[in-house]
mmCIF file of all heavy atoms in Angstrom:
data_model
loop_
_atom_site.group_PDB
_atom_site.id
_atom_site.type_symbol
_atom_site.label_atom_id
_atom_site.label_comp_id
_atom_site.label_asym_id
_atom_site.label_seq_id
_atom_site.Cartn_x
_atom_site.Cartn_y
_atom_site.Cartn_z
ATOM 1 N N SER V 1348 3.704 -2.176 -46.719
ATOM 2 C CA SER V 1348 3.562 -1.262 -45.591
ATOM 3 C C SER V 1348 4.942 -0.922 -45.032
ATOM 4 O O SER V 1348 5.860 -1.748 -45.028
ATOM 5 C CB SER V 1348 2.673 -1.879 -44.510
ATOM 6 O OG SER V 1348 3.250 -3.053 -43.981
ATOM 7 N N ILE V 1349 5.075 0.315 -44.565
ATOM 8 C CA ILE V 1349 6.380 0.806 -44.123
ATOM 9 C C ILE V 1349 6.877 0.035 -42.914
ATOM 10 O O ILE V 1349 8.063 -0.305 -42.815
ATOM 11 C CB ILE V 1349 6.292 2.316 -43.830
ATOM 12 C CG1 ILE V 1349 6.021 3.071 -45.133
ATOM 13 C CG2 ILE V 1349 7.572 2.826 -43.175
ATOM 14 C CD1 ILE V 1349 5.721 4.546 -44.946
ATOM 15 N N THR V 1350 5.987 -0.253 -41.962
ATOM 16 C CA THR V 1350 6.406 -1.028 -40.797
ATOM 17 C C THR V 1350 6.963 -2.382 -41.217
ATOM 18 O O THR V 1350 7.913 -2.894 -40.623
ATOM 19 C CB THR V 1350 5.223 -1.233 -39.836
ATOM 20 O OG1 THR V 1350 4.639 0.032 -39.535
ATOM 21 C CG2 THR V 1350 5.671 -1.889 -38.543
ATOM 22 N N ARG V 1351 6.406 -2.937 -42.264
ATOM 23 C CA ARG V 1351 6.790 -4.274 -42.706
ATOM 24 C C ARG V 1351 8.093 -4.274 -43.490
ATOM 25 O O ARG V 1351 9.012 -5.038 -43.187
ATOM 26 C CB ARG V 1351 5.662 -4.884 -43.560
ATOM 27 C CG ARG V 1351 5.866 -6.347 -43.886
ATOM 28 C CD ARG V 1351 4.617 -6.936 -44.523
ATOM 29 N NE ARG V 1351 4.477 -6.603 -45.926
ATOM 30 C CZ ARG V 1351 5.104 -7.252 -46.917
ATOM 31 N NH1 ARG V 1351 5.895 -8.263 -46.641
ATOM 32 N NH2 ARG V 1351 4.907 -6.903 -48.172
ATOM 33 N N VAL V 1352 8.183 -3.414 -44.520
ATOM 34 C CA VAL V 1352 9.333 -3.493 -45.437
ATOM 35 C C VAL V 1352 10.355 -2.398 -45.204
ATOM 36 O O VAL V 1352 11.454 -2.447 -45.762
ATOM 37 C CB VAL V 1352 8.878 -3.471 -46.902
ATOM 38 C CG1 VAL V 1352 7.901 -4.604 -47.177
ATOM 39 C CG2 VAL V 1352 8.263 -2.119 -47.283
ATOM 40 N N GLY V 1353 10.023 -1.382 -44.408
ATOM 41 C CA GLY V 1353 10.996 -0.347 -44.101
ATOM 42 C C GLY V 1353 10.772 0.937 -44.876
ATOM 43 O O GLY V 1353 9.721 1.166 -45.466
ATOM 44 N N ILE V 1354 11.777 1.779 -44.868
ATOM 45 C CA ILE V 1354 11.686 3.101 -45.483
ATOM 46 C C ILE V 1354 11.324 2.967 -46.957
ATOM 47 O O ILE V 1354 11.910 2.150 -47.674
ATOM 48 C CB ILE V 1354 13.021 3.857 -45.304
ATOM 49 C CG1 ILE V 1354 13.242 4.131 -43.811
ATOM 50 C CG2 ILE V 1354 13.048 5.149 -46.094
ATOM 51 C CD1 ILE V 1354 14.593 4.721 -43.490
ATOM 52 N N PRO V 1355 10.330 3.717 -47.431
ATOM 53 C CA PRO V 1355 9.843 3.563 -48.815
ATOM 54 C C PRO V 1355 10.963 3.650 -49.850
ATOM 55 O O PRO V 1355 11.914 4.413 -49.709
ATOM 56 C CB PRO V 1355 8.862 4.729 -48.959
ATOM 57 C CG PRO V 1355 8.406 5.028 -47.576
ATOM 58 C CD PRO V 1355 9.589 4.762 -46.697
ATOM 59 N N TYR V 1356 10.798 2.821 -50.892
ATOM 60 C CA TYR V 1356 11.698 2.735 -52.034
ATOM 61 C C TYR V 1356 13.043 2.099 -51.672
ATOM 62 O O TYR V 1356 13.559 1.277 -52.428
ATOM 63 C CB TYR V 1356 11.931 4.117 -52.673
ATOM 64 C CG TYR V 1356 10.648 4.826 -53.015
ATOM 65 C CD1 TYR V 1356 10.281 5.988 -52.344
ATOM 66 C CD2 TYR V 1356 9.791 4.326 -53.996
ATOM 67 C CE1 TYR V 1356 9.089 6.641 -52.638
ATOM 68 C CE2 TYR V 1356 8.595 4.969 -54.297
ATOM 69 C CZ TYR V 1356 8.245 6.122 -53.612
ATOM 70 O OH TYR V 1356 7.074 6.752 -53.897
ATOM 71 N N LEU V 1357 13.602 2.480 -50.545
ATOM 72 C CA LEU V 1357 14.898 1.926 -50.157
ATOM 73 C C LEU V 1357 14.778 0.579 -49.476
ATOM 74 O O LEU V 1357 15.720 -0.224 -49.479
ATOM 75 C CB LEU V 1357 15.613 2.904 -49.212
ATOM 76 C CG LEU V 1357 15.884 4.309 -49.752
ATOM 77 C CD1 LEU V 1357 16.490 5.182 -48.670
ATOM 78 C CD2 LEU V 1357 16.793 4.246 -50.967
ATOM 79 N N HIS V 1358 13.626 0.313 -48.850
ATOM 80 C CA HIS V 1358 13.384 -0.936 -48.125
ATOM 81 C C HIS V 1358 14.460 -1.179 -47.065
ATOM 82 O O HIS V 1358 14.959 -2.288 -46.892
ATOM 83 C CB HIS V 1358 13.313 -2.119 -49.095
ATOM 84 C CG HIS V 1358 12.068 -2.130 -49.920
ATOM 85 N ND1 HIS V 1358 11.778 -3.127 -50.822
ATOM 86 C CD2 HIS V 1358 11.042 -1.248 -50.003
ATOM 87 C CE1 HIS V 1358 10.623 -2.862 -51.422
ATOM 88 N NE2 HIS V 1358 10.162 -1.722 -50.927
ATOM 89 N N LEU V 1359 14.766 -0.118 -46.326
ATOM 90 C CA LEU V 1359 15.753 -0.225 -45.265
ATOM 91 C C LEU V 1359 15.065 -0.327 -43.912
ATOM 92 O O LEU V 1359 14.073 0.352 -43.659
ATOM 93 C CB LEU V 1359 16.679 0.999 -45.277
ATOM 94 C CG LEU V 1359 17.598 1.163 -46.489
ATOM 95 C CD1 LEU V 1359 18.331 2.494 -46.399
ATOM 96 C CD2 LEU V 1359 18.591 0.019 -46.572
ATOM 97 N N PHE V 1360 15.601 -1.153 -43.039
ATOM 98 C CA PHE V 1360 15.186 -1.269 -41.646
ATOM 99 C C PHE V 1360 13.757 -1.800 -41.500
ATOM 100 O O PHE V 1360 13.059 -1.465 -40.547
ATOM 101 C CB PHE V 1360 15.333 0.073 -40.910
ATOM 102 C CG PHE V 1360 16.652 0.749 -41.140
ATOM 103 C CD1 PHE V 1360 16.715 2.006 -41.726
ATOM 104 C CD2 PHE V 1360 17.832 0.110 -40.803
ATOM 105 C CE1 PHE V 1360 17.939 2.626 -41.947
ATOM 106 C CE2 PHE V 1360 19.064 0.721 -41.019
ATOM 107 C CZ PHE V 1360 19.114 1.986 -41.603
ATOM 108 N N GLY V 1361 13.325 -2.629 -42.437
ATOM 109 C CA GLY V 1361 12.022 -3.281 -42.302
ATOM 110 C C GLY V 1361 11.998 -4.236 -41.128
ATOM 111 O O GLY V 1361 13.010 -4.874 -40.797
ATOM 112 N N LEU V 1362 10.828 -4.347 -40.488
ATOM 113 C CA LEU V 1362 10.735 -5.131 -39.260
ATOM 114 C C LEU V 1362 10.246 -6.558 -39.468
ATOM 115 O O LEU V 1362 10.512 -7.423 -38.634
ATOM 116 C CB LEU V 1362 9.810 -4.417 -38.267
ATOM 117 C CG LEU V 1362 10.301 -3.046 -37.782
ATOM 118 C CD1 LEU V 1362 9.261 -2.407 -36.865
ATOM 119 C CD2 LEU V 1362 11.640 -3.179 -37.067
ATOM 120 N N GLU V 1363 9.534 -6.830 -40.565
ATOM 121 C CA GLU V 1363 8.965 -8.169 -40.693
ATOM 122 C C GLU V 1363 10.047 -9.240 -40.763
ATOM 123 O O GLU V 1363 9.985 -10.249 -40.051
ATOM 124 C CB GLU V 1363 8.043 -8.273 -41.912
ATOM 125 C CG GLU V 1363 7.379 -9.637 -41.972
ATOM 126 C CD GLU V 1363 6.370 -9.784 -43.095
ATOM 127 O OE1 GLU V 1363 6.671 -9.342 -44.224
ATOM 128 O OE2 GLU V 1363 5.288 -10.355 -42.865
ATOM 129 N N LYS V 1364 11.013 -9.061 -41.620
ATOM 130 C CA LYS V 1364 12.069 -10.072 -41.757
ATOM 131 C C LYS V 1364 12.883 -10.184 -40.473
ATOM 132 O O LYS V 1364 13.259 -11.293 -40.057
ATOM 133 C CB LYS V 1364 12.982 -9.744 -42.934
ATOM 134 C CG LYS V 1364 14.021 -10.843 -43.217
ATOM 135 C CD LYS V 1364 14.848 -10.528 -44.450
ATOM 136 C CE LYS V 1364 15.742 -11.723 -44.818
ATOM 137 N NZ LYS V 1364 16.658 -12.114 -43.736
ATOM 138 N N LEU V 1365 13.160 -9.053 -39.831
ATOM 139 C CA LEU V 1365 13.911 -9.079 -38.582
ATOM 140 C C LEU V 1365 13.186 -9.911 -37.536
ATOM 141 O O LEU V 1365 13.802 -10.764 -36.863
ATOM 142 C CB LEU V 1365 14.111 -7.653 -38.074
ATOM 143 C CG LEU V 1365 14.866 -7.501 -36.758
ATOM 144 C CD1 LEU V 1365 16.329 -7.912 -36.915
ATOM 145 C CD2 LEU V 1365 14.760 -6.071 -36.242
ATOM 146 N N PHE V 1366 11.886 -9.689 -37.382
ATOM 147 C CA PHE V 1366 11.112 -10.438 -36.396
ATOM 148 C C PHE V 1366 10.996 -11.909 -36.774
ATOM 149 O O PHE V 1366 11.069 -12.793 -35.917
ATOM 150 C CB PHE V 1366 9.723 -9.819 -36.240
ATOM 151 C CG PHE V 1366 9.712 -8.476 -35.541
ATOM 152 C CD1 PHE V 1366 8.545 -7.735 -35.451
ATOM 153 C CD2 PHE V 1366 10.861 -7.945 -34.983
ATOM 154 C CE1 PHE V 1366 8.531 -6.506 -34.816
ATOM 155 C CE2 PHE V 1366 10.860 -6.717 -34.339
ATOM 156 C CZ PHE V 1366 9.687 -5.993 -34.254
ATOM 157 N N TYR V 1367 10.807 -12.178 -38.052
ATOM 158 C CA TYR V 1367 10.706 -13.570 -38.521
ATOM 159 C C TYR V 1367 12.017 -14.319 -38.292
ATOM 160 O O TYR V 1367 12.025 -15.442 -37.772
ATOM 161 C CB TYR V 1367 10.338 -13.572 -40.003
ATOM 162 C CG TYR V 1367 10.247 -14.945 -40.619
ATOM 163 C CD1 TYR V 1367 9.088 -15.707 -40.513
ATOM 164 C CD2 TYR V 1367 11.329 -15.489 -41.320
ATOM 165 C CE1 TYR V 1367 9.003 -16.970 -41.081
ATOM 166 C CE2 TYR V 1367 11.255 -16.747 -41.885
ATOM 167 C CZ TYR V 1367 10.088 -17.483 -41.763
ATOM 168 O OH TYR V 1367 10.017 -18.742 -42.332
ATOM 169 N N ASP V 1368 13.122 -13.702 -38.667
ATOM 170 C CA ASP V 1368 14.433 -14.363 -38.533
ATOM 171 C C ASP V 1368 14.764 -14.682 -37.079
ATOM 172 O O ASP V 1368 15.493 -15.637 -36.802
ATOM 173 C CB ASP V 1368 15.533 -13.479 -39.125
ATOM 174 C CG ASP V 1368 15.494 -13.435 -40.650
ATOM 175 O OD1 ASP V 1368 14.783 -14.260 -41.249
ATOM 176 O OD2 ASP V 1368 16.169 -12.558 -41.227
ATOM 177 N N HIS V 1369 14.218 -13.885 -36.150
ATOM 178 C CA HIS V 1369 14.500 -14.110 -34.731
ATOM 179 C C HIS V 1369 13.373 -14.874 -34.030
ATOM 180 O O HIS V 1369 13.355 -14.968 -32.797
ATOM 181 C CB HIS V 1369 14.758 -12.776 -34.022
ATOM 182 C CG HIS V 1369 16.098 -12.180 -34.363
ATOM 183 N ND1 HIS V 1369 16.286 -11.358 -35.450
ATOM 184 C CD2 HIS V 1369 17.322 -12.306 -33.773
ATOM 185 C CE1 HIS V 1369 17.559 -10.991 -35.507
ATOM 186 N NE2 HIS V 1369 18.209 -11.556 -34.508
ATOM 187 N N GLY V 1370 12.447 -15.421 -34.805
ATOM 188 C CA GLY V 1370 11.448 -16.315 -34.236
ATOM 189 C C GLY V 1370 10.467 -15.652 -33.290
ATOM 190 O O GLY V 1370 10.026 -16.292 -32.324
ATOM 191 N N VAL V 1371 10.116 -14.384 -33.551
ATOM 192 C CA VAL V 1371 9.111 -13.728 -32.712
ATOM 193 C C VAL V 1371 7.799 -14.514 -32.806
ATOM 194 O O VAL V 1371 7.345 -14.871 -33.897
ATOM 195 C CB VAL V 1371 8.905 -12.260 -33.139
ATOM 196 C CG1 VAL V 1371 7.696 -11.659 -32.448
ATOM 197 C CG2 VAL V 1371 10.163 -11.455 -32.834
ATOM 198 N N ASP V 1372 7.185 -14.772 -31.668
ATOM 199 C CA ASP V 1372 5.989 -15.613 -31.624
ATOM 200 C C ASP V 1372 4.707 -14.837 -31.905
ATOM 201 O O ASP V 1372 3.822 -15.321 -32.621
ATOM 202 C CB ASP V 1372 5.866 -16.277 -30.244
ATOM 203 C CG ASP V 1372 7.067 -17.135 -29.907
ATOM 204 O OD1 ASP V 1372 7.246 -18.167 -30.575
ATOM 205 O OD2 ASP V 1372 7.819 -16.774 -28.991
ATOM 206 N N LEU V 1373 4.587 -13.653 -31.325
ATOM 207 C CA LEU V 1373 3.337 -12.902 -31.368
ATOM 208 C C LEU V 1373 3.654 -11.420 -31.532
ATOM 209 O O LEU V 1373 4.506 -10.880 -30.814
ATOM 210 C CB LEU V 1373 2.546 -13.137 -30.077
ATOM 211 C CG LEU V 1373 1.219 -12.405 -29.891
ATOM 212 C CD1 LEU V 1373 0.205 -12.820 -30.965
ATOM 213 C CD2 LEU V 1373 0.655 -12.684 -28.497
ATOM 214 N N GLU V 1374 2.955 -10.763 -32.474
ATOM 215 C CA GLU V 1374 3.167 -9.339 -32.733
ATOM 216 C C GLU V 1374 1.855 -8.601 -32.503
ATOM 217 O O GLU V 1374 0.842 -8.908 -33.135
ATOM 218 C CB GLU V 1374 3.682 -9.132 -34.158
ATOM 219 C CG GLU V 1374 4.989 -9.865 -34.410
ATOM 220 C CD GLU V 1374 5.529 -9.695 -35.827
ATOM 221 O OE1 GLU V 1374 5.178 -8.690 -36.484
ATOM 222 O OE2 GLU V 1374 6.310 -10.572 -36.278
#
Side-chain angles (χ1 to χ4, degrees):
S1348 63
I1349 294 172
T1350 307
R1351 189 170 79 82
V1352 303
I1354 294 173
Y1356 307 113
L1357 301 175
H1358 288 182
L1359 294 174
F1360 313 119
L1362 296 177
E1363 184 176 44
K1364 186 176 188 302
L1365 179 68
F1366 289 173
Y1367 178 84
D1368 287 347
H1369 286 88
V1371 170
D1372 301 293
L1373 178 62
E1374 301 179 24

